[in-house]
Amino acid sequence: MKNDSNDILYTYMQASERFVLFNGLNFREFVHSLPYTLDSILLLKHQFDGGEYNLNVLLESASSEDIAKLVKENVRAYGDFCWVDFEEAEGLDELDGREIAELLYLGHAKTHLSPPFFRKLNNQFVYLAQDDGWFNKIYFRSLSTYYMMLGRLIPLKLEPLKVERKWLGIRKKKELTAIPAEIISSLAHILGEGLAFSFRDVKYTRTKIEIPAWVVGDYLNMDEMHDDFSDRVIYEPDAFIIFNRKEKVWESVIKNASSS
């Protein structure tokens, strides 16, 4: 049975093929963590009741208004939820049979036949999810976008946990800045080994917030990843991302270069 714990964020970066595997990231978090607005997507696998049907690709697309509706939906219940973004609607009409076949294969097999970045679409992502939030495979045209997204995602996931009470009993939530991309990219070599951040083990002090992470390896089976993470978490973390609460700055600390 699946471990549905939402306090783990697993990310494995395959830099050579420009994709990243996630557990603990859902569509809503992805959209809100992007450094820019997602305007148009072509839905490859979904159960969304809406969108605009394209007669060339024989698939539905979603506008920015539709995406706002999708963010509020339980897309995890769709089972498969796969899409690719595009720049101009005319690009969909220009796709030829081979390109359409490659798009359909992406949604079906959740892997690529050739690099899945289409000149006619100028797509930045390919988003391939099975039980959204449990297994997500995302292709990034630029890995710098991945670093920026992860730098916004971690504070986004941390904020609901960081609720303090004033002496009057008023709930107060402190704003966390985005983690600079260069801080995330400094972890690139262990992100390429499969890194799991644990929000259940975050340490708060008066001066800083420490988010621990463990190298766990690369997994397609997220049940196995969670099992192995449970074995790893008894040891010292391999890395930390630390927020200095006074200076409002982030830093990364790597304790172990790799883990056996």
Side-chain angles (χ1 to χ4, degrees):
M1 187 174 72
K2 287 184 176 179
N3 183 336
D4 287 327
S5 172
N6 195 37
D7 50 15
I8 302 299
L9 173 64
Y10 168 75
T11 176
Y12 164 68
M13 177 180 67
Q14 176 55 264
S16 62
E17 297 187 345
R18 286 183 285 171
F19 72 75
V20 184
L21 302 182
F22 292 95
N23 173 269
L25 164 72
N26 61 38
F27 177 66
R28 179 188 61 81
E29 292 170 328
F30 178 76
V31 170
H32 288 314
S33 298
L34 290 177
Y36 45 78
T37 302
L38 191 64
D39 288 325
S40 303
I41 62 176
L42 179 66
L43 297 164
L44 305 176
K45 284 283 187 77
H46 68 104
Q47 294 181 30
F48 180 58
D49 185 17
E52 183 174 343
Y53 192 74
N54 181 275
L55 292 174
N56 183 46
V57 296
L58 305 180
L59 294 168
E60 290 181 343
S61 64
S63 65
S64 57
E65 291 82 5
D66 296 322
I67 292 169
K69 296 175 184 176
L70 273 165
V71 164
K72 297 177 182 178
E73 286 217 356
N74 177 20
V75 297
R76 180 167 184 161
Y78 293 177
D80 288 339
F81 180 56
C82 306
W83 55 264
V84 54
D85 65 302
F86 62 92
E87 194 170 61
E88 301 288 345
E90 290 78 7
L92 299 179
D93 298 326
E94 295 172 1
L95 291 169
D96 59 30
R98 178 186 56 80
E99 292 165 325
I100 294 170
E102 289 184 4
L103 285 166
L104 294 174
Y105 186 82
L106 281 166
H108 177 70
K110 296 184 179 59
T111 192
H112 61 280
L113 291 172
S114 58
F117 300 101
F118 301 84
R119 178 185 57 80
K120 296 169 186 175
L121 302 182
N122 194 29
N123 63 302
Q124 303 303 306
F125 314 105
V126 179
Y127 187 100
L128 308 171
Q130 182 178 21
D131 299 329
D132 186 57
W134 181 253
F135 175 89
N136 294 48
K137 181 179 184 180
I138 305 176
Y139 289 85
F140 292 84
R141 181 180 288 268
S142 171
L143 287 176
S144 64
T145 305
Y146 162 58
Y147 297 143
M148 287 188 282
M149 187 224 72
L150 189 56
R152 294 162 65 100
L153 173 65
I154 291 172
L156 179 69
K157 294 183 78 69
L158 192 61
E159 280 288 9
L161 305 176
K162 189 65 200 87
V163 176
E164 296 182 341
R165 290 189 180 274
K166 293 181 179 178
W167 66 280
L168 290 175
I170 300 172
R171 287 158 58 93
K172 182 179 71 172
K173 192 186 292 184
K174 289 194 173 180
E175 288 294 322
L176 295 172
T177 59
I179 305 169
E182 57 267 23
I183 298 294
I184 300 296
S185 64
S186 71
L187 302 173
H189 63 292
I190 54 176
L191 289 168
E193 296 181 43
L195 196 62
F197 296 92
S198 176
F199 295 98
R200 74 176 73 143
D201 296 300
V202 172
K203 292 183 179 178
Y204 299 94
T205 67
R206 189 170 55 85
T207 58
K208 60 187 177 180
I209 301 171
E210 293 184 341
I211 307 161
W214 285 263
V215 174
V216 293
D218 57 298
Y219 293 89
L220 289 173
N221 185 315
M222 294 306 169
D223 285 303
E224 291 182 1
M225 184 278 294
H226 275 273
D227 288 343
D228 287 353
F229 174 77
S230 297
D231 294 335
R232 288 287 306 139
V233 76
I234 64 174
Y235 300 102
E236 285 295 309
D238 297 300
F240 292 92
I241 291 182
I242 301 170
F243 182 67
N244 184 308
R245 303 176 77 176
K246 182 179 180 181
E247 304 295 332
K248 304 290 186 187
V249 296
W250 294 91
E251 66 174 317
S252 61
V253 176
I254 299 174
K255 295 291 187 179
N256 300 306
S258 62
S259 177
S260 57

